[in-house]
Amino acid sequence: MYILIADDHPFTLQGTKSFVESYGYKVSDTCSNGIAALNLIRLHHPDIAILDINMPGLDGLDVAKKVQEAKLKTKIILLTMHKEMTVYKKAKEYGIYGYILKEYAQTELQKCLDEVKIGNRYLSAFLEVDLIVDNSRLDHALFALTLSERKIIELISQQKTSKQIAELLFLSEKTVEGHRSNIIEKLGLPKEKNTLLKWALQNK
């Protein structure tokens, strides 16, 4: 069982390496950026790669995506501070095997490695709570919207302009703008440029 670790913070990198080795695993490579991580994965085919998400060159998600596209056998574990549902969804889409939070790595890393080693996937127990809360908030927000407003959100996520939406739904552009204001209000979004488009793209 060979493991690669990539993190751009030297202390975190060394700390993670020490933990992994103390669990009886062999660390074959360490590096501090995503490009080096991807090259080493292609070169040495480690069984598992533990990647930070925020790294120079390529981030951990980029590396996971490229590993998936190249159908490489290396199983990816993301070690991160990100608790956002959108980031986790993207990681899941790229076939990652483990997703654990840095602040709880000492508690969860060994369990995660043991699970991934036998082909199981592992999601941080501390993250699950946040994701469930995030999901229920999203469900509640969508429930507050009318059918017309949901349709408009759907079209916004397809990057349609107010003029295009008005034409598609046989409404006036002013009515669509009114709906947009109501949706922003109901979702509690900041009143800034493209706020609804950003939200729609993140939650579509």
Side-chain angles (χ1 to χ4, degrees), residues 83-86 128-140 203:
K83 297 181 183 180
E84 296 90 343
M85 184 62 151
T86 45
E128 277 180 333
V129 177
D130 283 327
L131 292 181
I132 290 161
V133 169
D134 195 84
N135 243 352
S136 66
R137 277 197 201 119
L138 177 60
D139 290 343
H140 180 72
N203 295 287

Side-chain angles (χ1 to χ4, degrees), residues 162-163 166 171-181:
S162 289
K163 188 169 186 250
L171 299 169
S172 72
E173 201 173 329
K174 193 177 176 185
T175 302
V176 173
E177 287 298 337
H179 278 308
R180 287 180 92 121
S181 298

Side-chain angles (χ1 to χ4, degrees), residues 27 38 43 166 188 194:
V27 176
L38 185 61
L43 194 65
N194 294 330

